[in-house]
Amino acid sequence: MSRLEGRVVAIAGAAGGLGPTVASVLAQEGTRLALTDVDQGRLDEVAGRLALPSDQVDARAVDLLDENAARAWAAALTERFGGVDALAHLVGGWRGGQPLDRAPLADWAWLHDLLVRTVQHTSRAFCAALKASGNGRFVLVSAAAAQRPTSTNAAYAAAKAAAEAWTLALADELAGTGATANILAVNAILTPQMRAENPDKEFASFTPAEHIAEAIAFVLSDAAAKMNGKRLALHP
């Protein structure tokens, strides 16, 4: 039996650059997977490639900017699977590149919704289920920029820092319940598609998606039961 056999893991951002690799690794660990993103077609493609029996995978588009929709998703998964043991929050996106005094504040508004609001909504929606699990896990994939902000990356760094602070507050809420919340930080993600398109490029500061997926599997496992409120750096 694998270390995550039979556990129900929800993946927010499952159809993004990192999501398919994480879903594949967790499927190999014997999990039942609940996948969401904004595009049902892309979700169906991810679920199809997993080749899991229908009773082991749930793929549905959810607007995580709508808290009621996030709560409805959590409730539907609890009804279908009898509970949810973990949530991997992979929702990501980037805007930046201009100096702080010239960057449009509209970038901040967009990044705040994408990187902070979705964390707030999913954590609130799944908090009770994670506590009830007995070994519930919340893991956020974040960025080194949260602790290394630059002038040309201010909005992104600030949004990531806020998401991390919220996750650490969730860790405090979960303390003593057997559930945990932790952060995995990277500089940038090297996806299989990027590697295939640029086979000769080194990507020295990037973390391979496969390595992140393996780290997520570890954090979700019993071996990481004593880790709560930790920030693990998966970058140079």
XYZ file of all heavy atoms in Angstrom, residues 138-227:
643
model
N -3.182 20.913 4.122
C -3.296 22.023 3.181
C -1.881 22.387 2.784
O -1.023 22.599 3.640
C -3.987 23.226 3.834
C -4.173 24.409 2.907
C -5.367 24.582 2.221
C -3.157 25.344 2.726
C -5.556 25.667 1.376
C -3.337 26.431 1.876
C -4.532 26.599 1.197
N -1.623 22.465 1.474
C -0.290 22.852 1.016
C -0.429 23.914 -0.058
O -1.218 23.786 -0.986
C 0.523 21.637 0.504
C -0.182 20.924 -0.626
C 1.928 22.075 0.091
N 0.321 24.990 0.106
C 0.340 26.107 -0.829
C 1.665 26.116 -1.568
O 2.729 26.076 -0.943
C 0.181 27.431 -0.069
C 0.374 28.713 -0.885
C -0.814 28.941 -1.811
C 0.584 29.910 0.043
N 1.606 26.172 -2.890
C 2.830 26.384 -3.667
C 3.002 27.886 -3.849
O 2.162 28.557 -4.447
C 2.779 25.661 -5.018
C 4.006 26.014 -5.854
C 2.722 24.155 -4.801
N 4.090 28.421 -3.290
C 4.330 29.857 -3.293
C 5.639 30.159 -4.021
O 6.136 29.338 -4.796
C 4.361 30.385 -1.858
O 4.429 31.798 -1.836
N 6.168 31.349 -3.775
C 7.327 31.813 -4.537
C 8.373 32.420 -3.626
O 8.053 33.048 -2.609
C 6.892 32.845 -5.575
N 9.631 32.257 -4.017
C 10.724 32.883 -3.279
C 10.545 34.390 -3.205
O 10.974 35.037 -2.249
C 12.055 32.540 -3.947
N 9.861 34.961 -4.210
C 9.643 36.414 -4.260
C 8.896 36.942 -3.047
O 9.019 38.120 -2.707
C 8.881 36.775 -5.534
N 8.131 36.088 -2.385
C 7.389 36.536 -1.206
C 8.326 37.066 -0.123
O 7.958 37.953 0.643
C 6.544 35.401 -0.651
N 9.530 36.509 -0.055
C 10.515 36.965 0.926
C 11.683 37.684 0.276
O 12.604 38.118 0.962
C 11.012 35.780 1.758
C 9.901 35.163 2.614
C 10.426 34.162 3.617
O 11.563 33.708 3.542
N 9.589 33.811 4.581
N 11.639 37.810 -1.058
C 12.694 38.516 -1.780
C 12.074 39.498 -2.778
O 12.285 39.406 -3.988
C 13.593 37.529 -2.532
C 14.303 36.506 -1.667
C 15.090 35.554 -2.568
N 15.710 34.469 -1.817
C 16.344 33.447 -2.386
N 16.445 33.398 -3.719
N 16.877 32.488 -1.649
N 11.254 40.438 -2.303
C 10.580 41.347 -3.241
C 11.551 42.280 -3.940
O 12.565 42.680 -3.373
C 9.623 42.127 -2.335
C 10.246 42.061 -0.980
C 10.914 40.723 -0.897
N 11.240 42.598 -5.186
C 12.030 43.549 -5.950
C 11.117 44.646 -6.469
O 9.882 44.496 -6.516
C 12.719 42.871 -7.142
O 11.708 42.366 -8.032
C 13.621 41.733 -6.689
N 11.721 45.744 -6.902
C 10.945 46.872 -7.399
C 10.063 46.483 -8.576
O 8.934 46.973 -8.698
C 11.881 48.005 -7.818
O 11.191 49.015 -8.516
N 10.550 45.637 -9.435
C 9.790 45.286 -10.630
C 8.856 44.095 -10.409
O 8.225 43.615 -11.353
C 10.741 44.952 -11.791
O 11.629 43.897 -11.388
C 11.551 46.182 -12.187
N 8.758 43.621 -9.180
C 7.922 42.466 -8.868
C 7.106 42.709 -7.607
O 6.713 41.769 -6.928
C 8.821 41.234 -8.664
C 8.214 39.971 -9.253
O 7.297 40.029 -10.056
N 8.741 38.829 -8.857
N 6.844 43.975 -7.304
C 6.259 44.332 -6.010
C 4.876 43.729 -5.802
O 4.588 43.149 -4.747
C 6.201 45.845 -5.865
N 3.995 43.876 -6.783
C 2.625 43.398 -6.614
C 2.585 41.877 -6.461
O 1.878 41.343 -5.602
C 1.762 43.840 -7.797
N 3.343 41.178 -7.296
C 3.378 39.718 -7.222
C 3.937 39.256 -5.879
O 3.357 38.376 -5.217
C 4.232 39.169 -8.364
C 4.411 37.669 -8.347
C 3.378 36.828 -8.745
C 5.612 37.096 -7.938
C 3.538 35.450 -8.732
C 5.788 35.724 -7.928
C 4.748 34.899 -8.324
O 4.907 33.536 -8.298
N 5.047 39.850 -5.452
C 5.662 39.466 -4.182
C 4.723 39.736 -3.016
O 4.601 38.920 -2.089
C 6.981 40.203 -3.996
N 4.048 40.887 -3.046
C 3.134 41.236 -1.961
C 1.950 40.273 -1.901
O 1.504 39.871 -0.816
C 2.648 42.667 -2.132
N 1.431 39.887 -3.067
C 0.312 38.952 -3.092
C 0.730 37.578 -2.579
O 0.008 36.929 -1.805
C -0.256 38.847 -4.507
N 1.904 37.122 -3.006
C 2.395 35.830 -2.525
C 2.651 35.866 -1.018
O 2.371 34.895 -0.298
C 3.673 35.443 -3.267
C 3.444 34.895 -4.660
C 2.727 33.548 -4.612
C 2.712 32.849 -5.957
N 2.001 31.535 -5.885
N 3.186 36.975 -0.521
C 3.432 37.107 0.911
C 2.119 37.061 1.690
O 2.035 36.445 2.758
C 4.183 38.399 1.197
N 1.089 37.698 1.159
C -0.218 37.673 1.820
C -0.800 36.265 1.843
O -1.371 35.822 2.852
C -1.170 38.632 1.114
N -0.640 35.546 0.727
C -1.138 34.167 0.676
C -0.400 33.285 1.678
O -1.001 32.408 2.315
C -0.991 33.613 -0.741
N 0.892 33.517 1.820
C 1.666 32.750 2.799
C 1.216 33.070 4.224
O 1.081 32.167 5.062
C 3.157 33.031 2.626
C 3.750 32.441 1.360
C 5.273 32.455 1.369
O 5.863 32.758 2.424
O 5.870 32.156 0.320
N 1.000 34.347 4.511
C 0.550 34.731 5.851
C -0.791 34.081 6.168
O -1.020 33.600 7.291
C 0.455 36.251 5.955
N -1.674 34.053 5.185
C -2.987 33.425 5.401
C -2.818 31.927 5.672
O -3.488 31.366 6.546
C -3.875 33.653 4.184
C -5.291 33.226 4.406
C -5.813 31.983 4.220
C -6.366 34.038 4.886
N -7.147 31.954 4.539
C -7.514 33.205 4.948
C -6.479 35.378 5.240
C -8.762 33.686 5.369
C -7.724 35.857 5.656
C -8.837 35.019 5.717
N -1.919 31.281 4.949
C -1.678 29.848 5.143
C -1.108 29.571 6.530
O -1.480 28.590 7.177
C -0.727 29.321 4.057
O -1.327 29.527 2.768
C -0.433 27.846 4.246
N -0.223 30.429 7.000
C 0.326 30.256 8.343
C -0.744 30.484 9.403
O -0.736 29.827 10.460
C 1.513 31.207 8.551
C 2.717 30.950 7.642
C 3.815 31.968 7.909
C 3.249 29.528 7.816
N -1.681 31.387 9.131
C -2.806 31.568 10.053
C -3.694 30.324 10.067
O -4.203 29.916 11.119
C -3.612 32.800 9.650
N -3.877 29.711 8.905
C -4.620 28.451 8.841
C -3.907 27.375 9.648
O -4.552 26.580 10.353
C -4.778 28.007 7.389
C -5.428 26.643 7.162
C -6.858 26.633 7.675
C -5.384 26.272 5.678
N -2.580 27.335 9.567
C -1.812 26.364 10.351
C -2.099 26.530 11.840
O -2.225 25.543 12.584
C -0.321 26.531 10.076
N -2.207 27.773 12.281
C -2.535 28.028 13.687
C -3.939 27.515 14.019
O -4.161 26.920 15.077
C -2.430 29.531 13.963
C -2.714 29.864 15.409
O -1.938 29.432 16.292
O -3.717 30.548 15.676
N -4.869 27.724 13.103
C -6.237 27.243 13.310
C -6.284 25.710 13.394
O -7.062 25.139 14.163
C -7.130 27.731 12.163
C -8.544 27.172 12.152
C -9.389 27.651 13.330
O -9.078 28.715 13.899
O -10.367 26.953 13.677
N -5.433 25.050 12.626
C -5.450 23.584 12.569
C -4.629 22.928 13.684
O -4.725 21.716 13.880
C -4.909 23.115 11.219
C -5.709 23.531 9.974
C -4.993 23.051 8.715
C -7.125 22.985 10.023
N -3.833 23.695 14.387
C -2.956 23.133 15.420
C -3.751 22.318 16.431
O -4.794 22.741 16.926
C -2.204 24.255 16.127
N -3.265 21.117 16.693
C -3.902 20.251 17.679
C -5.020 19.387 17.141
O -5.596 18.588 17.889
N -5.330 19.499 15.848
C -6.426 18.718 15.264
C -5.927 17.506 14.480
O -6.736 16.699 14.024
C -7.257 19.590 14.301
O -6.470 19.908 13.142
C -7.714 20.876 14.976
N -4.612 17.412 14.287
C -4.056 16.377 13.432
C -3.905 16.828 12.001
O -3.306 16.132 11.187
N -4.446 18.004 11.685
C -4.313 18.567 10.335
C -3.194 19.603 10.321
O -2.832 20.162 11.363
C -5.629 19.214 9.905
N -2.660 19.869 9.132
C -1.548 20.806 9.004
C -1.726 21.691 7.776
O -2.466 21.356 6.857
C -0.200 20.067 8.873
O -0.170 19.359 7.614
C 0.026 19.099 10.011
N -1.009 22.805 7.767
C -0.942 23.685 6.600
C 0.498 24.116 6.428
O 1.121 24.610 7.377
C -1.844 24.901 6.778
N 1.035 23.927 5.235
C 2.436 24.232 4.974
C 2.609 24.875 3.603
O 1.702 24.854 2.767
C 3.282 22.956 5.064
C 3.349 22.397 6.480
O 3.990 22.966 7.351
N 2.663 21.277 6.708
N 3.793 25.423 3.388
C 4.104 26.181 2.176
C 5.326 25.575 1.501
O 6.313 25.251 2.168
C 4.401 27.651 2.529
C 3.190 28.307 3.194
C 4.843 28.438 1.301
C 3.542 29.562 3.978
N 5.260 25.440 0.182
C 6.416 25.062 -0.628
C 6.738 26.246 -1.528
O 5.885 26.694 -2.297
C 6.113 23.832 -1.477
C 5.701 22.557 -0.737
C 5.367 21.458 -1.739
C 6.790 22.100 0.207
N 7.961 26.765 -1.440
C 8.343 27.954 -2.207
C 9.346 27.617 -3.294
O 10.306 26.879 -3.059
C 8.925 29.014 -1.271
N 9.120 28.168 -4.474
C 10.021 27.958 -5.609
C 10.339 29.311 -6.249
O 9.630 30.300 -6.020
C 9.388 27.030 -6.665
C 9.066 25.676 -6.064
C 8.137 27.651 -7.279
N 11.406 29.359 -7.035
C 11.672 30.546 -7.845
C 10.748 30.566 -9.052
O 10.082 31.554 -9.343
C 13.123 30.552 -8.331
C 14.067 31.211 -7.356
O 13.705 32.151 -6.663
N 15.292 30.717 -7.290
N 10.756 29.475 -9.786
C 9.933 29.300 -10.974
C 9.791 27.804 -11.214
O 10.584 27.002 -10.711
C 10.571 29.983 -12.183
N 8.774 27.437 -11.970
C 8.460 26.027 -12.185
C 8.857 25.602 -13.596
O 8.483 26.252 -14.579
C 6.952 25.773 -11.973
C 6.551 26.158 -10.544
C 6.607 24.316 -12.269
C 5.052 26.202 -10.332
N 9.607 24.521 -13.671
C 9.971 23.929 -14.959
C 8.979 22.815 -15.272
O 9.000 21.756 -14.654
C 11.393 23.375 -14.907
C 11.876 22.612 -16.138
C 11.776 23.468 -17.392
C 13.293 22.093 -15.922
N 8.099 23.069 -16.216
C 7.093 22.079 -16.584
C 7.632 21.145 -17.665
O 8.584 21.478 -18.379
C 5.828 22.772 -17.112
O 6.124 23.407 -18.368
C 5.313 23.805 -16.128
N 7.034 19.972 -17.824
C 7.454 19.068 -18.901
C 7.360 19.726 -20.277
O 8.210 19.483 -21.138
C 6.478 17.895 -18.764
C 6.115 17.887 -17.309
C 6.048 19.337 -16.928
N 6.354 20.558 -20.486
C 6.214 21.241 -21.774
C 7.372 22.198 -22.027
O 7.920 22.246 -23.133
C 4.891 22.010 -21.826
C 4.671 22.745 -23.133
C 3.352 23.482 -23.175
O 2.503 23.329 -22.299
N 3.165 24.313 -24.191
N 7.775 22.947 -21.004
C 8.899 23.865 -21.150
C 10.177 23.111 -21.488
O 10.971 23.537 -22.325
C 9.087 24.668 -19.866
C 7.981 25.663 -19.586
S 8.065 26.316 -17.898
C 9.675 27.120 -17.930
N 10.378 21.975 -20.831
C 11.581 21.178 -21.084
C 11.578 20.625 -22.504
O 12.599 20.597 -23.186
C 11.675 20.034 -20.071
C 13.006 19.273 -20.134
C 13.035 18.092 -19.204
N 13.012 18.470 -17.802
C 11.981 18.289 -16.998
N 10.854 17.738 -17.458
N 12.035 18.635 -15.729
N 10.396 20.193 -22.960
C 10.298 19.641 -24.313
C 10.535 20.714 -25.371
O 11.139 20.440 -26.422
C 8.929 19.008 -24.514
N 10.074 21.920 -25.096
C 10.224 23.012 -26.065
C 11.625 23.602 -26.084
O 12.031 24.209 -27.077
C 9.204 24.104 -25.763
C 7.753 23.684 -26.014
C 6.756 24.727 -25.559
O 7.185 25.705 -24.897
O 5.556 24.571 -25.853
N 12.373 23.438 -24.982
C 13.720 23.995 -24.883
C 14.666 22.953 -24.295
O 15.179 23.119 -23.186
C 13.713 25.244 -24.003
C 12.812 26.331 -24.533
O 13.203 27.130 -25.377
N 11.577 26.372 -24.017
N 14.924 21.868 -25.013
C 15.692 20.751 -24.452
C 17.134 21.096 -24.091
O 17.734 20.411 -23.254
C 15.636 19.697 -25.562
C 15.380 20.470 -26.804
C 14.503 21.602 -26.403
N 17.689 22.134 -24.694
C 19.087 22.468 -24.431
C 19.251 23.570 -23.386
O 20.385 23.916 -23.022
C 19.773 22.902 -25.730
C 19.783 21.782 -26.768
O 19.930 20.616 -26.366
O 19.626 22.088 -27.962
N 18.172 24.120 -22.905
C 18.244 25.195 -21.927
C 18.447 24.618 -20.530
O 17.874 23.573 -20.192
C 16.972 26.035 -21.971
C 17.023 27.305 -21.156
C 15.794 28.173 -21.404
C 15.844 29.437 -20.568
N 14.672 30.323 -20.830
N 19.226 25.291 -19.691
C 19.560 24.746 -18.371
C 18.463 24.959 -17.331
O 18.268 24.132 -16.439
C 20.865 25.363 -17.866
C 22.098 24.872 -18.624
C 23.381 25.305 -17.950
O 23.323 25.772 -16.794
O 24.441 25.183 -18.570
N 17.757 26.096 -17.338
C 16.739 26.401 -16.337
C 17.320 26.267 -14.926
O 16.721 25.643 -14.041
C 15.532 25.473 -16.481
C 14.755 25.650 -17.760
C 14.913 24.752 -18.809
C 13.885 26.715 -17.922
C 14.206 24.908 -19.991
C 13.172 26.877 -19.113
C 13.332 25.974 -20.139
N 18.481 26.858 -14.700
C 19.222 26.645 -13.459
C 18.453 27.046 -12.200
O 18.579 26.399 -11.161
C 20.546 27.409 -13.520
N 17.653 28.095 -12.267
C 16.955 28.566 -11.068
C 15.536 28.020 -10.954
O 14.802 28.377 -10.036
C 16.914 30.097 -11.057
O 16.142 30.583 -12.141
N 15.156 27.151 -11.894
C 13.802 26.594 -11.904
C 13.755 25.275 -11.129
O 14.740 24.540 -11.069
C 13.346 26.337 -13.342
C 13.001 27.579 -14.121
C 13.944 28.581 -14.337
C 11.737 27.738 -14.661
C 13.632 29.706 -15.078
C 11.405 28.865 -15.402
C 12.357 29.861 -15.607
N 12.594 24.972 -10.575
C 12.371 23.693 -9.907
C 11.488 22.826 -10.792
O 10.387 23.251 -11.167
C 11.687 23.889 -8.547
O 12.467 24.778 -7.743
C 11.531 22.552 -7.820
N 11.932 21.620 -11.150
C 11.109 20.752 -11.996
C 9.764 20.437 -11.352
O 9.671 20.221 -10.132
C 11.958 19.483 -12.142
C 13.364 19.950 -11.927
C 13.260 21.027 -10.888
N 8.731 20.409 -12.165
C 7.392 20.109 -11.657
C 7.360 18.770 -10.930
O 6.653 18.603 -9.924
C 6.397 20.111 -12.820
N 8.139 17.814 -11.428
C 8.161 16.487 -10.794
C 8.682 16.561 -9.361
O 8.199 15.841 -8.478
C 9.031 15.530 -11.614
C 8.527 15.264 -13.026
C 8.986 16.311 -14.038
O 9.588 17.346 -13.648
O 8.743 16.094 -15.232
N 9.671 17.423 -9.128
C 10.219 17.562 -7.775
C 9.198 18.203 -6.840
O 9.089 17.822 -5.664
C 11.494 18.401 -7.806
C 12.627 17.758 -8.544
N 13.883 18.325 -8.653
C 12.705 16.572 -9.214
C 14.672 17.530 -9.349
N 13.977 16.470 -9.707
N 8.470 19.174 -7.355
C 7.429 19.817 -6.539
C 6.333 18.819 -6.203
O 5.853 18.755 -5.071
C 6.851 21.035 -7.279
C 7.951 22.058 -7.584
C 5.748 21.695 -6.444
C 7.516 23.171 -8.515
N 5.952 18.023 -7.185
C 4.907 17.023 -6.961
C 5.328 16.013 -5.902
O 4.529 15.623 -5.037
C 4.578 16.313 -8.274
N 6.581 15.580 -5.941
C 7.067 14.634 -4.933
C 7.092 15.284 -3.553
O 6.785 14.633 -2.544
C 8.466 14.143 -5.308
C 8.504 13.216 -6.510
C 7.812 11.883 -6.271
O 7.607 11.511 -5.095
O 7.457 11.226 -7.262
N 7.440 16.571 -3.493
C 7.435 17.286 -2.210
C 6.015 17.403 -1.665
O 5.783 17.260 -0.457
C 8.059 18.666 -2.375
N 5.059 17.650 -2.553
C 3.660 17.718 -2.121
C 3.218 16.369 -1.570
O 2.573 16.298 -0.509
C 2.762 18.154 -3.296
C 3.001 19.634 -3.610
C 1.289 17.913 -2.973
C 2.283 20.125 -4.859
N 3.558 15.283 -2.262
C 3.182 13.947 -1.781
C 3.760 13.692 -0.396
O 3.087 13.124 0.481
C 3.658 12.888 -2.770
N 4.986 14.135 -0.166
C 5.590 13.958 1.161
C 4.847 14.769 2.214
O 4.517 14.254 3.293
C 7.054 14.377 1.139
C 7.655 14.515 2.513
C 7.931 13.391 3.275
C 7.903 15.760 3.066
C 8.452 13.496 4.563
C 8.428 15.887 4.338
C 8.701 14.748 5.092
N 4.565 16.025 1.908
C 3.890 16.886 2.888
C 2.496 16.350 3.223
O 2.015 16.505 4.354
C 3.814 18.331 2.361
C 2.915 19.192 3.240
C 5.210 18.943 2.308
N 1.856 15.695 2.256
C 0.532 15.131 2.510
C 0.577 13.824 3.295
O -0.440 13.368 3.811
C -0.193 14.878 1.181
C -0.444 16.080 0.258
C -1.330 15.649 -0.910
C -1.059 17.247 0.995
N 1.747 13.235 3.409
C 1.871 11.906 4.002
C 1.988 11.963 5.521
O 2.190 13.014 6.124
C 3.104 11.196 3.438
O 4.296 11.753 3.987
N 1.887 10.780 6.144
C 2.030 10.686 7.602
C 3.435 11.051 8.056
O 3.626 11.457 9.206
C 1.699 9.263 8.062
C 0.223 8.933 7.917
O -0.592 9.870 7.782
O -0.121 7.732 7.914
N 4.424 10.902 7.168
C 5.805 11.230 7.539
C 5.957 12.708 7.879
O 6.887 13.090 8.590
C 6.753 10.852 6.407
N 5.036 13.545 7.385
C 5.102 14.983 7.638
C 4.074 15.428 8.676
O 3.764 16.620 8.770
C 4.893 15.749 6.342
N 3.570 14.496 9.469
C 2.495 14.826 10.412
C 2.894 15.877 11.442
O 2.048 16.614 11.950
C 2.034 13.555 11.130
N 4.169 15.970 11.770
C 4.633 16.934 12.767
C 4.968 18.295 12.159
O 5.310 19.231 12.882
C 5.861 16.388 13.498
C 5.621 15.103 14.270
C 4.577 15.293 15.358
C 4.407 14.022 16.187
N 3.359 14.172 17.231
N 4.879 18.404 10.841
C 5.176 19.672 10.166
C 3.897 20.492 10.060
O 2.935 20.067 9.432
C 5.731 19.422 8.762
C 7.111 18.819 8.726
S 7.578 18.355 7.033
C 7.137 19.838 6.137
